[in-house]
Amino acid sequence: MRITQGCFSFLPDLTDDQITAQVEYMLSRDWAVGIEFTDDPHPRNTYWEMFGHPMFDLKDAKGVMMELEECRKAHGESYIRLVGFDATRGFETVMMSFIVNRPPEEPRLHMQRTDVAGRSQTYAWDAR
Amino acid sequence: MDGGESADLAASTAEHVDLAAEYESSGVAEVLRELDEELIGLAPVKQRIRETAALLLVDRARRSLGLTQDTPTLHMSFTGNPGTGKTTVALKMAGLLHRLGYVRKGHLVSVTRDDLVGQYIGHTAPKTKEVLKKAMGGVLFIDEAYYLYKPDNERDYGQEAIEILLQVMENNRDDLVVIMAGYADRMDKFFTANPGFRSRIAHHIDFPDYSDAELEWIAGSMLAERNYVLDKGASAALADYISLRRNQPHFANARSIRNALDRARLRQANRLFEAGGGPLDATALSTITEADIRPSRVFSGGLVIDRPAAEGT
């Protein structure tokens, strides 16, 4: 099942040129770019693992693309996303994030319905 | 060459490239003019840069006509004594390469050994890569590059940084230009020990020492920038200072002059203050006299710590 989260996830996968253009945009806004990966794409799994350090003070997208290449080599079977972090006071948050790598076989998000006290039911999602 | 290609060639050669117009419109002319105006002396350096610019301009024109495809090797080495303007020229070079479209962003990242080499195993590679990532799209200026290689210590991590650098210099020629700088003799030794660098560096530019007259000229322009003037006695004292300073240890060309002038300004301020601080006009506030330069230790044989060494104890 195709996981959709972050920017552009309803579009076809971005090519490296398109990713470069997006990174150029992030750098033009003075955002720090980070690379994160995970094997658990559950929507509640907010904190993915960071690959290397977040990249401050970069001038050109090539630096990020080199790092992404490394990450793909190491975690090609995982989800990888790029995040743009705005350190400006008042924001201090992720301004944009998008998936740049997916595993060849994506897990399914499965909904589990459970009967609890009385006739009420609870619902939970898990990736399997 | 098959028929299709030669037809292409014929079609493309029919187009024209106006080098003179290109020279002005690309902004190269402006950078070279700035170089001429702002940097005193350094005639051989300027000549080499002009030649390099011409080569790149022609190369770009050839490329626009489809005569060539591959990026020329642009890595350089600047050799010369301290204070001869290597960093300043590197900055201009970054501007020049940017105008010509050989680097995308045209910024200069200036580093030394400390920024590239780590302190323990596994520290060097991430550190070097961090710097390289920052330099992408611009120019990486490695000052005192020969420090990277320490032959007397085989456990030195410099070698690791060198290997990463070499790899990036080869694979990312489109993305960054590396300029290595240092003293001529030590750089020679460095290149002999690391033949990989010699073959990957296309342009070796040698920075000569400044002559006494050029240093006086430089002093004049440094002072003019800050609205100071030398009176007659001070000019003579400065000329004496320069010829004496040259023969003392740690002489760093223009940088020594800048430091000397900073100290002269200090003495001038002190002199004005101690003279009673009565009403002073702009001339008094901006004139440096002989009395501000003569007290320098250079006239009494240099720094005390250097003197016994000079006598050969």
Side-chain angles (χ1 to χ4, degrees):
Chain A
M1 199 176 110
R2 190 182 163 84
I3 301 293
T4 52
Q5 54 170 288
C7 312
F8 317 127
S9 59
F10 286 94
L11 299 175
D13 285 341
L14 300 186
T15 64
D16 275 9
D17 283 345
Q18 289 167 329
I19 296 171
T20 303
Q22 293 300 336
V23 174
E24 284 291 349
Y25 170 78
M26 294 198 269
L27 294 177
S28 74
R29 311 290 301 254
D30 280 334
W31 296 345
V33 185
I35 299 178
E36 296 180 337
F37 65 95
T38 189
D39 52 7
D40 175 19
H42 193 284
R44 288 285 175 93
N45 177 22
T46 316
Y47 301 113
W48 293 18
E49 263 160 280
M50 186 151 245
F51 184 82
H53 300 290
M55 287 165 272
F56 293 91
D57 309 327
L58 254 54
K59 292 279 190 302
D60 191 80
K62 183 68 190 178
V64 174
M65 297 310 284
M66 279 166 72
E67 194 79 354
L68 175 59
E69 213 41 58
E70 297 263 304
C71 185
R72 277 178 176 155
K73 250 185 244 161
H75 304 285
E77 308 277 286
S78 303
Y79 287 94
I80 302 175
R81 70 180 175 195
L82 293 184
V83 296
F85 177 83
D86 188 350
T88 318
R89 194 167 165 76
F91 286 109
E92 297 164 82
T93 184
V94 168
M95 299 297 269
M96 119 183 226
S97 91
F98 56 98
I99 294 176
V100 290
N101 193 69
R102 295 166 181 278
E105 188 94 18
E106 293 197 55
R108 228 159 54 82
L109 280 185
H110 170 257
M111 191 189 73
Q112 180 71 49
R113 183 191 294 123
T114 317
D115 282 321
V116 285
R119 287 180 58 79
S120 59
Q121 294 182 327
T122 57
Y123 298 89
W125 294 94
D126 61 305
R128 38 172 84 170
Chain B
M1 188 187 281
D2 65 19
E5 262 181 62
S6 58
D8 278 354
L9 197 64
S12 60
T13 41
E15 294 166 28
H16 295 289
V17 168
D18 186 351
L19 273 185
E22 192 95 317
Y23 177 68
E24 285 292 335
S25 69
S26 61
V28 173
E30 199 191 323
V31 176
L32 291 180
R33 253 196 308 274
E34 269 175 34
L35 197 74
D36 260 342
E37 282 162 14
E38 287 171 24
L39 295 182
I40 291 157
L42 296 177
V45 175
K46 288 176 182 168
Q47 186 57 34
R48 277 302 303 270
I49 290 177
R50 213 166 288 126
E51 285 166 16
T52 312
L55 171 75
L56 295 180
L57 206 60
V58 169
D59 189 81
R60 198 171 78 146
R62 283 172 58 87
R63 226 197 293 203
S64 69
L65 294 188
L67 294 173
T68 179
Q69 246 100 50
D70 46 335
T71 319
T73 306
L74 290 168
H75 306 307
M76 303 175 199
S77 100
F78 288 179
T79 50
N81 288 327
T84 43
K86 296 188 289 288
T87 314
T88 317
V89 170
L91 205 59
K92 294 269 177 258
M93 191 54 104
L96 190 72
L97 293 173
H98 179 52
R99 307 277 166 95
L100 283 167
Y102 284 99
V103 291
R104 288 189 297 270
K105 299 285 150 65
H107 60 292
L108 183 82
V109 176
S110 179
V111 297
T112 55
R113 180 189 155 93
D114 288 353
D115 301 295
L116 295 170
V117 179
Q119 291 172 352
Y120 41 83
I121 293 181
H123 191 204
T124 302
K127 230 177 153 177
T128 306
K129 281 187 186 147
E130 192 84 354
V131 167
L132 286 169
K133 276 189 276 174
K134 279 182 195 163
M136 283 294 154
V139 172
L140 177 65
F141 182 76
I142 306 177
D143 210 0
E144 319 281 352
Y146 48 81
Y147 276 133
L148 283 178
Y149 177 68
K150 291 192 170 166
D152 42 325
N153 182 357
E154 60 182 49
R155 286 210 219 142
D156 185 64
Y157 302 133
Q159 194 61 39
E160 203 180 337
I162 289 175
E163 274 157 29
I164 297 173
L165 267 176
L166 282 176
Q167 199 190 340
V168 169
M169 280 166 78
E170 189 59 37
N171 297 344
N172 296 69
R173 273 188 294 168
D174 298 346
D175 301 310
L176 102 158
V177 170
V178 177
I179 299 180
M180 313 194 118
Y183 303 99
D185 51 337
R186 295 215 216 164
M187 284 305 277
D188 270 345
K189 252 184 245 157
F190 175 70
F191 285 134
T192 319
N194 299 280
F197 276 123
R198 191 182 276 291
S199 59
R200 281 179 183 83
I201 289 179
H203 307 272
H204 292 264
I205 300 181
D206 200 38
F207 286 64
D209 278 346
Y210 289 110
S211 69
D212 288 3
E214 280 165 354
L215 284 175
E216 277 171 51
W217 194 358
I218 288 170
S221 70
M222 279 177 183
L223 288 170
E225 239 169 64
R226 299 173 185 173
N227 285 322
Y228 279 95
V229 283
L230 294 171
D231 70 4
K232 232 188 191 135
S235 303
L238 188 68
D240 291 350
Y241 177 94
I242 291 170
S243 54
L244 280 172
R245 182 70 186 84
R246 181 181 292 281
N247 298 317
Q248 288 172 7
H250 310 302
F251 174 63
N253 287 286
R255 201 173 302 146
S256 291
I257 301 305
R258 191 178 61 205
N259 294 343
L261 293 178
D262 282 346
R263 286 191 293 272
R265 283 167 57 210
L266 193 85
R267 288 190 206 101
Q268 183 236 22
N270 230 8
R271 172 172 58 81
L272 292 178
F273 195 70
E274 276 172 11
L280 293 167
D281 57 0
T283 329
L285 284 172
S286 55
T287 307
I288 288 179
T289 64
E290 191 169 1
D292 301 327
I293 293 179
R294 288 284 175 196
S296 166
R297 270 172 305 197
V298 167
F299 291 103
S300 54
L303 287 175
V304 180
I305 48 160
D306 286 332
R307 252 177 276 167
E311 281 156 18
T313 45

